[in-house]
Amino acid sequence: MDGTKSYHNDKDELHSAQAIKTFTAWCNSHLRKLGIHIESVAQDFRSGVNLVKLLEVISGGEIARLETGKMRIHKVNNVKKALDFVASKGVNLIGIGAEEIVDGNLKMTLGMIWTIILRFAIQDISVEEMSAKEGLLLWCQKKTAPYKNVNVTNFHTSFKDGLAFCALIHRHRPDLIDYNHLRKDNAVYNLQYAFEVAEKELDIPIMLDANDIASTMRPDERAIMTYVSSYYHAFASSQQASQAANRICKVLNVNQENETLMEEYENLASGLLEWIEHMIPWIDQMREQRASSISEVKARLEEFRTYRLTVKPPKTEEKGKLITDYNTLQTKLRLSNRPAFLPSEGKLINDIERAWDNLETTERGVEQHLMSELISSRD
């Protein structure tokens, strides 16, 4: 990427107070993470120390050991390390040399800073297959499309009245901006309103001067782009944080659902096993205890048939639900990379099946036995 060639030919913008103010504020927004504050990009990168620090904080890496000497050669070497690092990121620094930065060449310094901003704040912006400047412009257009009196077609005059900045904030944080009460003919107010809200509520430093922007026929495009890119990254980070929070909530909800299913399984298994344990002796008694009369045999036979036709079917459904819930739970746990569910001792599916088999074995022949006893009693 050639980040400097065209900018050296644009003297009006590169030497503007807007560019100096904006670039300085942008650099400070990153350097503050290291407890560093510069007064102006025009002078405070000449030793190369702050420049290297800036590149390290925005890239997340370590560039090289700084030379601590105060001589010109030490400063040149520090700046050269910084420029070599920028070049290693695919940026073509044609015409920018370490000596010019050390000597305080404003044109070269602003060109260098703009190149850094392009590479680290704008180049990677991607919106619907559009990237860098075009991607950022498309993002602004999409976000501000529903707003009255906003038509973003560029990064200079489209932002002069401040409504585009206010619309960008309102689109993402409608609680912060009372957009309906803004007037297009009140540019300075709109700009200052947006800048102050962004600084206070979104931690985006004020990088532009409201009066300067409103009174300039064509504001500095690179200053506007730099400031707007801070909006993009602030809202993108907020969206990513929101998405991460949603993912965490989703995981927590899934975990809670799984825990609920585990608890339901344990309760259902306990209830079913207790019922089986209670019914087996009752059924055994039907078979083993002789009745004293025909009416008692008839009563037992009716009671057993009621059990088979009315009492047992709901329990059969419970058993089926228990097995289905168990399999569903294990599948959900596997898909979410969670350990398999291990029921309490004695409540495994095999334990349920074994107890149920014992119940049905105990039932077997009871009705025939009672019928035989009834016939014998009549005889």
Side-chain angles (χ1 to χ4, degrees):
M1 179 182 75
D2 186 344
T4 62
K5 187 175 181 181
S6 63
Y7 311 135
H8 289 176
N9 297 325
D10 200 347
K11 294 181 180 180
D12 289 339
E13 288 184 303
L14 285 177
H15 288 87
S16 71
Q18 291 175 1
I20 295 173
K21 176 181 175 65
T22 302
F23 291 178
T24 299
W26 183 85
C27 292
N28 277 327
S29 72
H30 295 284
L31 288 171
R32 64 181 177 177
K33 299 169 186 175
L34 302 177
I36 298 173
H37 179 84
I38 63 171
E39 294 300 323
S40 173
V41 293
Q43 297 294 326
D44 293 342
F45 287 136
R46 294 179 63 180
S47 71
V49 174
N50 288 333
L51 181 58
V52 168
K53 294 294 185 183
L54 173 67
L55 290 170
E56 286 182 340
V57 75
I58 62 178
S59 69
E62 187 173 342
I63 296 177
R65 181 184 293 274
L66 287 166
E67 297 187 16
T68 57
K70 302 297 183 181
M71 297 177 62
R72 174 181 168 80
I73 185 61
H74 299 135
K75 297 177 181 180
V76 170
N77 287 341
N78 286 336
V79 173
K80 187 176 186 305
K81 290 174 183 178
L83 296 180
D84 288 345
F85 176 78
V86 174
S88 73
K89 298 299 180 180
V91 179
N92 189 357
L93 293 170
I94 294 177
I96 296 182
E99 291 80 4
E100 285 83 4
I101 304 302
V102 173
D103 290 341
N105 186 311
L106 181 60
K107 175 180 174 181
M108 295 294 180
T109 300
L110 292 176
M112 175 190 67
I113 297 302
W114 173 240
T115 299
I116 291 171
I117 293 172
L118 270 181
R119 174 59 186 83
F120 292 100
I122 297 174
Q123 179 179 308
D124 293 335
I125 292 174
S126 179
V127 179
E128 295 183 4
E129 300 183 357
M130 305 292 283
S131 60
K133 177 181 177 180
E134 291 75 18
L136 184 60
L137 184 62
L138 179 59
W139 177 77
C140 292
Q141 291 170 340
K142 289 173 66 68
K143 296 300 182 181
T144 61
Y147 290 85
K148 183 177 65 174
N149 294 326
V150 178
N151 181 27
V152 179
T153 60
N154 55 56
F155 286 109
H156 39 80
T157 55
S158 294
F159 287 85
K160 269 176 58 70
D161 60 20
L163 291 179
F165 291 118
C166 292
L168 286 173
I169 297 174
H170 185 270
R171 181 64 182 269
H172 295 90
R173 289 290 305 275
D175 57 309
L176 299 182
I177 294 284
D178 186 3
Y179 188 84
N180 291 330
H181 287 81
L182 299 177
R183 300 199 321 270
K184 187 175 180 65
D185 60 358
N186 200 357
V188 173
Y189 173 82
N190 298 338
L191 289 162
Q192 196 62 37
Y193 183 32
F195 298 164
E196 291 177 357
V197 169
E199 181 180 47
K200 180 180 178 182
E201 303 293 343
L202 305 174
D203 199 28
I204 299 174
I206 296 177
M207 301 183 188
L208 304 168
D209 182 272
N211 288 293
D212 194 16
I213 298 298
S215 62
T216 304
M217 182 176 296
R218 179 188 167 108
D220 189 309
E221 182 181 55
R222 291 159 192 80
I224 299 292
M225 281 180 65
T226 300
Y227 185 56
V228 172
S229 73
S230 296
Y231 279 50
Y232 174 87
H233 290 295
F235 292 128
S237 297
S238 176
Q239 184 175 6
Q240 290 168 1
S242 177
Q243 291 172 344
N246 288 337
R247 286 195 294 269
I248 292 172
C249 288
K250 185 176 180 180
V251 170
L252 292 175
N253 288 337
V254 169
N255 288 342
Q256 188 172 13
E257 289 173 5
N258 291 340
E259 289 176 4
T260 299
L261 285 175
M262 292 177 193
E263 186 177 351
E264 288 177 354
Y265 175 91
E266 292 280 343
N267 293 335
L268 195 58
S270 296
L272 188 59
L273 288 170
E274 288 175 6
W275 178 80
I276 293 172
E277 186 179 356
H278 171 74
M279 294 309 299
I280 288 177
W282 178 79
I283 296 170
D284 278 335
Q285 188 177 22
M286 288 281 187
R287 178 189 293 108
E288 296 171 1
Q289 187 174 346
R290 289 189 61 82
S292 58
S293 63
I294 293 178
S295 60
E296 186 178 347
V297 174
K298 287 181 177 180
R300 287 186 183 179
L301 183 60
E302 183 63 27
E303 191 176 359
F304 183 74
R305 286 175 174 170
T306 299
Y307 156 76
R308 291 294 298 272
L309 296 174
T310 305
V311 177
K312 187 180 178 185
K315 295 299 180 181
T316 304
E317 291 181 7
E318 281 187 24
K319 174 176 169 286
K321 183 178 186 303
L322 193 67
I323 295 173
T324 299
D325 288 353
Y326 177 85
N327 291 332
T328 299
L329 175 59
Q330 299 293 28
T331 299
K332 291 180 68 175
L333 291 171
R334 185 175 67 254
L335 292 176
S336 58
N337 295 318
R338 304 291 295 170
F341 168 54
L342 183 63
S344 303
E345 185 177 355
K347 297 179 184 177
L348 296 170
I349 290 295
N350 289 340
D351 297 321
I352 304 296
E353 296 283 14
R354 190 179 304 112
W356 193 265
D357 288 343
N358 289 340
L359 175 68
E360 296 198 323
T361 299
T362 305
E363 290 176 3
R364 199 169 295 130
V366 170
E367 187 168 359
Q368 290 82 350
H369 169 75
L370 291 173
M371 285 296 296
S372 297
E373 189 176 353
L374 180 60
I375 294 170
S376 297
S377 299
R378 285 174 178 171
D379 294 340

